[in-house]
Amino acid sequence: MAYNILILNGPNLNMLGTREPEIYGAQTLDDLENYCRESAATLGMKCTCFQSNLEGDLVGKIQTAAAEFDGIIINAAAYTHTSVAIHDAFKTCPLPFIEVHLSNVYAREEFRHKSLISSLAKGVLCGFGQMGYSLALQAMKEILNSRED
Ligand code: CA2
């Protein structure tokens, strides 16, 4: 059975393509989600994309993901740097997850250098634009293939 991956995008990523293309690229959220679905299909996987500006929506998806998905790829956007709730949700989530950022957060303001979820993630990708999502899908496939169960 093909792995089924949940891709979560956090607050303001619905604004992709409208502002700050020098930081986040010119693609819209629709473009990014199509790119993820194509990348997943190329790898023989399935993915479902979800974006929300609300912390509780993201927490809810993380809480219920294990019933339907094999892994999670998340760009928690600004909640990366602030959300104890998302950290706590991942702490009780049995699925492997990978943290992704479009921009290189370490080349930006200091408040973006701290992530409250990195310590729980299998790995973190930042600075590769939309390619980071494709790289995360490749890494997730390897992680799931090497599981022992
Ligand atoms: O680089 C990333 O992917 C971020 O997760 C994006 C977040 C930022 O708070 C993180 O520090 C790094 C912000 C997403 C906002 O996206 C916009 C896109 C276009 C126009 C306005 C906002």
Side-chain angles (χ1 to χ4, degrees), residues 12-13 15-16 19 24 75 77-78 81 101-103 105 112:
N12 294 307
L13 287 165
M15 302 298 286
L16 281 173
R19 285 187 282 128
Y24 299 117
N75 183 348
H81 317 299
H101 299 285
L102 292 160
S103 65
V105 288
R112 297 186 202 276

Side-chain angles (χ1 to χ4, degrees), residues 60-108:
K61 289 289 180 190
I62 296 163
Q63 284 178 353
T64 58
E68 207 183 330
F69 299 99
D70 300 296
I72 300 174
I73 292 168
I74 183 165
N75 183 348
Y79 288 142
T80 306
H81 317 299
T82 63
S83 179
V84 176
I86 292 176
H87 169 98
D88 287 346
F90 275 123
K91 218 162 178 179
T92 56
C93 175
L95 301 180
F97 80 94
I98 297 174
E99 176 182 347
V100 172
H101 299 285
L102 292 160
S103 65
N104 178 358
V105 288
Y106 299 103
R108 303 182 63 195

Side-chain angles (χ1 to χ4, degrees), residues 34-70:
N34 284 330
Y35 173 81
C36 287
R37 283 187 281 269
E38 282 164 21
S39 299
T42 301
L43 291 161
M45 306 201 291
K46 274 185 16 179
C47 76
T48 297
C49 301
F50 176 80
Q51 187 276 334
S52 179
N53 294 324
L54 303 180
E55 189 176 29
D57 284 351
L58 297 166
V59 167
K61 289 289 180 190
I62 296 163
Q63 284 178 353
T64 58
E68 207 183 330
F69 299 99
D70 300 296

